[in-house]
Amino acid sequence: MQIQITQPSIWKRIFLVQIVNGNLLGEMKYVNAFVQAQAEIESINGNWIIRKKSFWSREIQVIEKNSQIILSSFFYNQWKREMKCTLDYNNFIFRSKGLWQRKYTWENDKGEMLLEYIPQQGLKFNSTATVAGGAEKLKQFSLLVFIGLYQLNAIRTTRSMY
């Protein structure tokens, strides 16, 4: 299964996540155009908020939008180029594949690949994601897709600053 992630306008920080056959999985939009810290997600499987814990903190929180319950908390380790995330007592690892490649994967704690992102360069954010067989059946699948998108956008914006 393939997923297409697009940013329809360079002027708006809205990202659409669509399964290649045309079904919309959801959208992620940043609350403030200038603040990278908080994004809201509306998906067919739930609504969430992903945000930095505080301005100086590297910790990222995933919050269920309606109940305000913190589902997970983690941070991206830039030296190891990975982050570890626990959702519903399941461990997942988001990591960069190689130093020069622009590929990122979600893996389970057994090291099995669940999802692979390949971002394309350009002014607008575009990426394709390949889903490993059966990963879309995971309860946390949609949320993992959006957490990965949030992290890819954070990596992209920090690279463009240098």
Side-chain angles (χ1 to χ4, degrees):
M1 180 166 89
Q2 291 279 94
I3 295 176
Q4 185 67 40
I5 302 167
T6 57
Q7 181 182 8
S9 170
I10 192 171
W11 305 110
K12 295 181 181 177
R13 294 177 16 114
I14 296 173
F15 303 89
L16 301 177
V17 178
Q18 198 167 12
I19 298 171
V20 170
N21 69 8
N23 295 334
L24 187 66
L25 190 60
E27 75 174 18
M28 180 175 83
K29 60 184 171 184
Y30 285 82
V31 175
N32 185 326
F34 302 104
V35 179
Q36 183 73 11
Q38 183 171 324
E40 291 185 0
I41 296 155
E42 292 181 19
S43 170
I44 59 173
N45 296 324
N47 297 325
W48 305 286
I49 297 170
I50 301 176
R51 69 175 181 208
K52 287 176 70 174
K53 186 175 181 179
S54 67
F55 182 76
W56 294 109
S57 176
R58 295 185 322 160
E59 185 178 348
I60 299 167
Q61 295 177 327
V62 179
I63 302 164
E64 188 175 29
K65 191 173 180 179
N66 297 333
S67 66
Q68 295 296 310
I69 294 173
I70 297 174
L71 302 175
S72 184
S73 183
F74 50 87
F75 72 95
Y76 184 73
N77 185 329
Q78 292 178 335
W79 293 106
K80 291 184 177 182
R81 296 186 319 274
E82 72 177 26
M83 71 178 172
K84 296 178 181 176
C85 175
T86 302
L87 294 167
D88 297 329
Y89 304 107
N90 294 311
N91 296 317
F92 302 99
I93 302 168
F94 178 86
R95 63 172 48 127
S96 172
K97 297 306 270 185
L99 186 58
W100 304 110
Q101 296 178 348
R102 291 192 185 242
K103 289 184 181 180
Y104 299 87
T105 61
W106 272 115
E107 300 172 0
N108 61 18
D109 54 357
K110 298 174 189 168
E112 301 167 336
M113 187 189 76
L114 304 172
L115 188 66
E116 179 181 58
Y117 298 91
I118 304 173
Q120 286 102 30
Q121 293 196 354
L123 293 175
K124 293 193 296 183
F125 182 90
N126 286 310
S127 177
T128 56
T130 304
V131 181
E136 70 275 3
K137 294 176 184 165
L138 286 172
K139 178 182 173 189
Q140 306 87 354
F141 174 73
S142 290
L143 186 52
L144 286 175
V145 170
F146 286 104
I147 293 171
L149 170 57
Y150 180 89
Q151 189 56 47
L152 284 174
N153 192 46
I155 291 168
R156 178 177 175 259
T157 55
T158 54
R159 280 189 181 165
S160 65
M161 292 171 61
Y162 300 106

